Amino acid sequence: MSFNYGKKILFFVFFVLIFLKICAQTNQFPIRMEIEKESNISKSRLINIVVALQNTGSETFSGNLHPILPSGYKATTGLQIPITLQQGEKKYIPLRLMADINAKAGSSEIKIQLLNLTGVIISEQITNHIIEVDNNLSMTSLSPIIFRNSKSEPISVKVRVLNTGNIAQNITLVCKFPDPDKGNFFIEQQAIIDVKKDSIFTFNYQPSKSLSDISNYTINISGFRNPEKEIFNTTSITVQNIASKQKFQEAQYGNFSDPFRNEITTSYRRVGENLNMYQIYGSGGFNLPSGYLLMNGNASLFSNQELPILTNTNISYHQGNNVYNVGSISKMFETTLSGRGAEYSHNFGNNKRIEMGFVDQNFNLIEKNAFLKNGYGFFTKGSLNTNNDDKNISAAYIYRYDPFEKGKHHILGTEGNYAFNKIWKFNGKLNAGLSSYEIRDVLKPSLALETNYKGAIKTYEISGNYYYSSDYFPGNRRGSTQFQQNISKTIGDYNFFTNFNYSNFTPKFFYFDRSQMSENFRYEAGIKFPSIKKINFGISYQYQNESSNSYNNFFGSWQSEEIKQLSANRLVESLTWSSFKTKQTALLSVENGFSQYPLQENPQFQLRFNANYSFRKLNLNAIYQKGSFYLSEYAFAYQVNKNEDYKKLSLALFYNEQFLERKLNVSTGISYVDDIIYGRAPSGFINAKYNTKKFGAFLNTSWYNYSIGSLTNNILTLELGITFNLKKASLDSGKKGKIQIFTFYDENNNNIYDPEEKPAHDYIVSINNVVLKTDNSGTALYKDVPFGGFELKQLIQQGWFYDEQKLDLNKYNYPLTIPLHQNGSLSGELFLDYDAKTAVDFDIKTSSVFFNVLKDNKIIERFSANEEGKFTAFLPTGNYTIIIDESSLPANIYCEQKTRNISLTAGEITKVPNFILKVRQKKINKKTFTN
């Protein structure tokens, strides 16, 4: 025990002596050390540090300068620099450091120590070096064009992502396949790309038959940084389906925006216990040698009717700038013409159009013995600047015979849109009418005008709508006056708004003597407050006044023309909340105030409560109302029970979900309504729709029950249907022809097919980016090609090529003979020349080094070397320039002689002189320091 205690004492004494010796040495060599560093050092990987040393002691000092470096840093001047300082001497010692590509981005600590000859630290200083964060990523497709020979083979899309920055990055790639049978089909891949590394991503997809039938389409790939989902690059790959027979398809159809859906739907519907309905409807079109036909049909048959009903059924022929339409016609002018008839339109270029037509106003196309009995009319309309929404004008003349009013109406009108700038936009309509009536010898003129505008005055946003029509105007809005004005202003995060609406409805008819009058006025002003934690609040004041003589029969005075009036003053409070992350929204609004009813002396309190909540695919709505907000509600409630206030309770719950990879969509909901007018009315529905590429099926069912007093009724509705999707067509209104292609090996180069020469089978021909492969007889067929210019584009193939040319299709059958000439080939390789001792760090993949081939100063071909640095290419005979693409060379690699000129001869392999790649050398900086 005592022996161990003595050992501890000796060790302690020894430690103290060592410490005192070190302190004595430190005091004996008092050295001052400071670090000086160049400015803007954070922008460079080369670090120049100067250490200032001064011996303030009385003896000569000898030791070493020792830098302690973070990972990824190197000292080109060494890690032990001998130092000798005489008494009072001052020296400046340069240190050369370098941060390599693996050095961490951001701030790194560099420690400089001064050691004596025994390794004891005499002095220590710390400095920081900052490397700016570089998150650059590049993405390129390995095959920008994919040629697909078989409809059964999958598509394999490959892209290369290179991290040229200095931090590892977590990325997501999204590849979009535009498959018409599945919509846009997305495939995602995630990965972490290390610094100065690259990765190859492969997306495999089996296209549907519809996608395989399209001659060419584009696959888009987008790259995102995680977790912010910031996009860093996009690229696209073109897929060309090769076949011996192809149909012309416009670019818009390659994106599946074809508005002409070829489909037929049949359905059966049962309403209640007695009514059955059978229906068939659909649409489709097909091309003709000149133009195309488009057909729409809708036929239904009710169990209590012998004659089917045909509506929305027509055939239209589109030929050039002409459109002929026969069948169901519906024209929405100031007075509507709808029924069976015919119309014609013609476009003069892209900016002018004329339309004309005749309509028998009977909605059923096959109605018997009713021709012109329900009224008829004809129209003509001319338009200018039809493709310009900001500045256009049109004029129309409409004639309509109304058998109920026994009147002949003529309407001449004009409409124009004009945008003064991006803020001020104006729309105006002016219609003049002239009517004559059989029951009265009178010629009645009339007028209707309307204007809409939108703009801003300084910080005030204003918009308005104004309409007026005279009492006998034979349009859809007869005897109407309507004013609407909105003004809003934003101050900071507060939004102030005000609006007023006024309408007056006083139509007059010669066959109906009783006067009608309805007038409404509403004014509102309010404020929306700034959002607080996703909550928005607003409050406004409303004044409403409504008067009419249309509800007097509900008050027991049918013959009376007395005007009944309702007025109200209300406050409207609204509260909304939303959470994008959790996909929730909530809305709560309360309208409360007092209303003066027609047959009551004192104002009555009224309240309406509206709440809505949605969570993902669930939606809940609730409404409670006490008191009549409109004159119609008061009149209906008064007729049922004049001593009871109008009350209403409405509850609804809806849910929507998709199953089976979004092929099955199911919507369902239940609701309950209880008010004094309709009684208690629970209801529910279930709608299901299943879609595939060839057919779809749907089931719609609903149940509705209402009970008012002793009256109770149940209505059950059931609908079943199936849709057959037919093959879509790219419809074109112009003339179309077919190009009959024949290819042969022109061995004697005379461009003529000689008896001894052979047809070229399985040869690929490209016309306007559509690729065809010849059959065993050397032929291919390109159909439904619009008249006009097209280009025969070269696709380099081993051994043979054809000349590119521009041709003009001006007839329905166009024979195209393509002689093939033998081409030449080239080969070469990359050679890496560097000194391992002096070269900086580098990393190279020869398969990522690309070359551009120029002819007549135009790039005609681009290829890359393989993993061994070798490359080959096949080109037509002629003179070319091969240039290495410097942007594809990795960091620290360069090529002094980047260009090679070659001449290719048919059937021969031309050797391209080697491209010598060199590696940049380490730099040695020198600097002289003096006392």
Side-chain angles (χ1 to χ4, degrees):
M1 189 76 172
S2 60
F3 178 76
N4 291 334
Y5 182 73
K7 288 176 62 178
K8 292 181 178 178
I9 293 176
L10 290 174
F11 177 78
F12 176 75
V13 172
F14 177 76
F15 177 79
V16 171
L17 292 174
I18 294 289
F19 178 76
L20 292 174
K21 183 179 180 180
I22 292 173
C23 292
Q25 291 178 342
T26 304
N27 293 329
Q28 184 180 4
F29 304 110
I31 307 298
R32 293 176 58 186
M33 183 172 70
E34 294 181 358
I35 293 179
E36 299 177 3
K37 193 170 67 168
E38 291 183 356
S39 61
N40 299 325
I41 196 68
S42 63
K43 296 183 179 180
S44 173
R45 288 186 175 272
L46 297 177
I47 310 164
N48 295 317
I49 296 178
V50 177
V51 181
L53 299 172
Q54 185 176 10
N55 184 357
T56 60
S58 59
E59 297 182 8
T60 300
F61 171 79
S62 296
N64 295 294
L65 205 61
H66 174 58
I68 299 176
L69 306 177
S71 176
Y73 286 72
K74 296 178 181 179
T76 60
T77 51
L79 294 177
Q80 295 287 346
I81 302 174
I83 301 296
T84 300
L85 291 172
Q86 302 297 327
Q87 178 184 353
E89 184 181 5
K90 185 177 182 180
K91 284 187 178 181
Y92 295 91
I93 310 299
L95 296 181
R96 304 291 184 263
L97 307 180
M98 183 179 70
D100 60 26
I101 60 175
N102 296 318
K104 182 184 70 173
S107 179
S108 297
E109 184 179 273
I110 299 174
K111 185 183 296 183
I112 309 296
Q113 294 179 341
L114 179 64
L115 309 176
N116 64 11
L117 293 178
T118 61
V120 177
I121 301 174
I122 304 302
S123 182
E124 182 179 273
Q125 293 290 325
I126 295 175
T127 185
N128 290 300
H129 178 68
I130 300 174
I131 299 178
E132 294 179 345
V133 175
D134 182 0
N135 64 350
N136 285 331
L137 292 164
S138 65
M139 180 169 62
T140 56
S141 58
L142 298 188
S143 299
I145 300 178
I146 297 176
F147 298 101
R148 191 161 173 262
N149 290 285
S150 172
K151 293 184 178 181
S152 61
E153 68 174 293
I155 299 175
S156 182
V157 177
K158 294 184 178 182
V159 293
R160 174 177 176 260
V161 178
L162 172 63
N163 182 0
T164 59
N166 54 19
I167 58 172
Q169 299 189 59
N170 189 335
I171 66 168
T172 296
L173 296 187
V174 180
C175 183
K176 182 179 73 173
F177 295 89
D179 199 325
D181 290 343
K182 300 180 181 179
N184 288 322
F185 188 83
F186 296 91
I187 299 177
E188 289 190 6
Q189 290 191 35
Q190 291 187 351
I192 296 177
I193 311 295
D194 289 331
V195 176
K196 304 302 178 183
K197 301 295 182 182
D198 66 350
S199 292
I200 304 297
F201 295 84
T202 303
F203 298 90
N204 295 316
Y205 180 68
Q206 180 62 56
S208 66
K209 185 178 182 301
S210 299
L211 188 59
S212 298
D213 288 340
I214 296 174
S215 59
N216 60 78
Y217 53 89
T218 300
I219 298 171
N220 294 309
I221 301 176
S222 300
F224 301 87
R225 291 187 180 91
N226 296 325
E228 296 85 2
K229 296 300 181 184
E230 173 195 4
I231 189 169
F232 66 83
N233 210 335
T234 61
T235 188
S236 60
I237 293 94
T238 300
V239 178
Q240 294 187 330
N241 291 315
I242 301 174
S244 60
K245 294 182 180 180
Q246 296 274 27
K247 280 189 176 182
F248 173 81
Q249 294 171 337
E250 292 186 13
Q252 60 174 330
Y253 302 119
N255 294 326
F256 313 113
S257 60
D258 185 358
F260 309 115
R261 301 181 61 186
N262 290 355
E263 62 180 26
I264 296 177
T265 300
T266 61
S267 68
Y268 162 76
R269 186 182 304 166
R270 182 177 180 85
V271 181
E273 299 180 355
N274 302 317
L275 182 61
N276 297 303
M277 187 186 81
Y278 306 90
Q279 187 177 20
I280 180 170
Y281 56 92
S283 63
F286 56 89
N287 279 305
L288 298 173
S290 180
Y292 65 88
L293 278 180
L294 184 64
M295 297 169 288
N296 294 281
N298 182 13
S300 56
L301 178 65
F302 293 88
S303 56
N304 57 358
Q305 287 182 324
E306 296 182 359
L307 187 68
I309 297 176
L310 264 68
T311 60
N312 297 324
T313 301
N314 53 51
I315 299 176
S316 59
Y317 173 53
H318 299 248
Q319 191 276 323
N321 294 323
N322 303 298
V323 179
Y324 308 86
N325 191 9
V326 178
S328 298
I329 307 295
S330 181
K331 306 302 292 186
M332 299 298 294
F333 298 114
E334 194 61 34
T335 181
T336 302
L337 295 177
S338 182
R340 52 192 179 185
E343 66 174 322
Y344 166 76
S345 66
H346 178 80
N347 290 317
F348 299 89
N350 295 324
N351 296 317
K352 301 176 184 178
R353 179 187 300 164
I354 186 171
E355 306 169 63
M356 59 186 67
F358 174 83
V359 179
D360 170 25
Q361 295 199 179
N362 194 311
F363 69 96
N364 188 2
L365 287 185
I366 57 175
E367 183 69 33
K368 298 179 180 178
N369 303 320
F371 188 69
L372 304 183
K373 290 185 178 181
N374 291 331
Y376 59 89
F378 62 83
F379 65 90
T380 181
K381 179 182 179 181
S383 306
L384 297 176
N385 288 341
T386 55
N387 292 335
N388 189 341
D389 293 333
D390 291 335
K391 296 179 182 180
N392 57 66
I393 190 170
S394 63
Y397 167 74
I398 304 104
Y399 169 81
R400 182 171 67 90
Y401 174 72
D402 186 349
F404 304 101
E405 200 174 4
K406 297 188 182 301
K408 299 176 182 177
H409 307 294
H410 305 263
I411 299 177
L412 180 63
T414 182
E415 178 181 0
N417 291 281
Y418 189 82
F420 297 92
N421 48 46
K422 293 183 179 181
I423 300 176
W424 284 97
K425 295 185 178 182
F426 171 84
N427 169 269
K429 298 179 183 179
L430 175 62
N431 290 276
L434 186 64
S435 304
S436 61
Y437 300 89
E438 297 177 5
I439 59 176
R440 187 172 301 189
D441 186 16
V442 61
L443 196 63
K444 191 70 177 177
S446 56
L447 178 71
L449 56 90
E450 181 178 11
T451 178
N452 295 274
Y453 76 92
K454 180 181 179 181
I457 300 177
K458 294 184 178 180
T459 58
Y460 292 89
E461 295 183 4
I462 60 175
S463 62
N465 171 255
Y466 298 88
Y467 177 82
Y468 168 79
S469 66
S470 55
D471 294 342
Y472 287 94
F473 179 71
N476 299 327
R477 296 177 288 179
R478 173 180 295 204
S480 293
T481 301
Q482 297 176 344
F483 297 152
Q484 180 182 355
Q485 182 64 56
N486 303 295
I487 303 175
S488 65
K489 177 180 176 62
T490 300
I491 302 177
D493 294 330
Y494 295 84
N495 180 259
F496 299 87
F497 63 91
T498 182
N499 59 73
F500 74 86
N501 295 273
Y502 172 79
S503 65
N504 182 283
F505 181 62
T506 56
K508 293 184 179 180
F509 305 87
F510 283 111
Y511 72 97
F512 185 66
D513 295 332
R514 189 174 185 274
S515 64
Q516 301 178 67
M517 184 273 179
S518 292
E519 186 177 71
N520 283 276
F521 176 79
R522 193 183 80 163
Y523 171 78
E524 182 177 15
I527 179 175
K528 294 180 181 178
F529 294 91
S531 176
I532 302 176
K533 294 183 178 180
K534 303 179 181 179
I535 298 176
N536 294 275
F537 176 72
I539 186 171
S540 64
Y541 163 75
Q542 278 186 5
Y543 171 74
Q544 176 186 341
N545 185 280
E546 180 183 2
S547 56
S548 177
N549 64 356
S550 301
Y551 303 101
N552 289 340
N553 57 318
F554 292 94
F555 301 117
S557 54
W558 168 253
Q559 299 299 327
S560 173
E561 295 184 2
E562 179 185 357
I563 303 297
K564 297 293 191 298
Q565 181 173 290
L566 180 151
S567 62
N569 292 273
R570 289 189 287 265
L571 285 178
V572 180
E573 303 93 1
S574 64
L575 192 69
T576 60
W577 171 82
S578 63
S579 173
F580 177 79
K581 186 175 182 180
T582 60
K583 298 182 179 180
Q584 295 183 83
T585 59
L587 167 66
L588 175 64
S589 67
V590 180
E591 300 174 68
N592 49 87
F594 291 89
S595 179
Q596 180 65 59
Y597 298 125
L599 302 179
Q600 293 179 319
E601 295 182 358
N602 298 321
Q604 302 295 314
F605 176 74
Q606 59 178 200
L607 170 71
R608 181 158 58 193
F609 171 91
N610 189 343
N612 184 275
Y613 171 75
S614 64
F615 174 66
R616 297 183 184 273
K617 301 174 183 180
L618 183 71
N619 187 276
L620 176 65
N621 181 260
I623 298 174
Y624 173 76
Q625 179 178 331
K626 182 182 185 302
S628 302
F629 276 64
Y630 302 98
L631 195 58
S632 58
E633 292 177 343
Y634 179 76
F636 285 124
Y638 185 88
Q639 186 183 41
V640 175
N641 189 340
K642 63 182 179 179
N643 296 319
E644 184 177 347
D645 291 337
Y646 177 78
K647 294 181 180 179
K648 178 180 180 180
L649 174 65
S650 174
L651 301 172
L653 177 65
F654 305 101
Y655 183 75
N656 182 74
E657 185 60 275
Q658 292 180 325
F659 305 93
L660 304 178
E661 297 181 349
R662 299 185 178 182
K663 293 181 180 179
L664 177 63
N665 186 290
V666 179
S667 300
T668 183
I670 56 174
S671 64
Y672 175 78
V673 177
D674 183 5
D675 69 4
I676 195 173
I677 300 174
Y678 300 101
R680 297 179 178 88
S683 62
F685 73 92
I686 298 177
N687 297 335
K689 189 172 184 179
Y690 179 77
N691 282 319
T692 65
K693 61 183 180 179
K694 292 185 178 180
F695 74 94
F698 59 90
L699 167 66
N700 299 323
T701 180
S702 63
W703 170 76
Y704 176 74
N705 174 278
Y706 67 89
S707 58
I708 304 176
S710 59
L711 179 62
T712 302
N713 197 1
N714 284 288
I715 299 176
L716 179 65
T717 302
L718 176 67
E719 183 181 18
L720 296 169
I722 186 169
T723 299
F724 300 95
N725 298 318
L726 307 179
K727 189 174 182 180
K728 295 182 180 181
S730 301
L731 305 181
D732 186 274
S733 61
K735 295 181 179 180
K736 296 170 287 294
K738 57 183 178 181
I739 302 174
Q740 298 172 317
I741 301 169
F742 173 68
T743 60
F744 68 95
Y745 298 110
D746 188 16
E747 296 181 353
N748 57 13
N749 289 324
N750 64 353
N751 293 323
I752 299 174
Y753 179 59
D754 299 314
E756 65 276 7
E757 292 174 334
K758 297 180 180 180
H761 62 84
D762 295 332
Y763 193 85
I764 297 176
V765 177
S766 176
I767 299 178
N768 285 356
N769 295 322
V770 174
V771 180
L772 302 101
K773 179 186 282 188
T774 59
D775 56 19
N776 292 332
S777 60
T779 62
L781 181 62
Y782 188 22
K783 301 189 297 181
D784 296 339
V785 184
F787 277 23
F790 63 92
E791 293 185 31
L792 183 64
K793 296 185 177 181
Q794 176 61 256
L795 288 177
I796 303 299
Q797 298 168 67
Q798 295 187 15
W800 299 86
F801 74 97
Y802 55 81
D803 294 325
E804 291 190 350
Q805 53 184 311
K806 294 184 178 181
L807 304 170
D808 185 29
L809 177 62
N810 54 11
K811 50 188 175 182
Y812 293 110
N813 292 296
Y814 191 99
L816 178 59
T817 301
I818 303 176
L820 303 180
H821 306 290
Q822 200 169 19
N823 60 18
S825 59
L826 61 87
S827 66
E829 62 181 304
L830 295 169
F831 179 76
L832 189 61
D833 181 16
Y834 73 103
D835 186 343
K837 295 181 180 180
T838 59
V840 300
D841 292 339
F842 67 93
D843 184 16
I844 184 172
K845 275 188 176 181
T846 55
S847 59
S848 300
V849 179
F850 282 83
F851 301 86
N852 294 325
V853 181
L854 279 69
K855 186 173 185 179
D856 299 329
N857 294 323
K858 294 182 180 179
I859 297 177
I860 63 169
E861 184 75 9
R862 179 177 169 86
F863 58 84
S864 66
N866 60 18
E867 296 292 343
E868 299 176 352
K870 298 180 180 180
F871 58 86
T872 58
F874 301 92
L875 299 167
T877 57
N879 298 320
Y880 299 92
T881 300
I882 314 296
I883 301 178
I884 192 169
D885 187 352
E886 289 187 289
S887 64
S888 67
L889 294 177
N892 298 325
I893 303 293
Y894 66 98
C895 181
E896 292 181 343
Q897 190 173 354
K898 301 179 289 292
T899 303
R900 300 285 190 273
N901 295 315
I902 62 170
S903 179
L904 293 185
T905 305
E908 296 184 3
I909 300 176
T910 300
K911 177 67 176 177
V912 180
N914 292 338
F915 284 89
I916 309 300
L917 301 182
K918 293 189 176 184
V919 182
R920 301 190 188 280
Q921 304 298 304
K922 298 177 181 178
K923 291 184 178 180
I924 301 176
N925 299 323
K926 295 182 179 181
K927 187 173 183 180
T928 302
F929 298 88
T930 60
N931 292 336

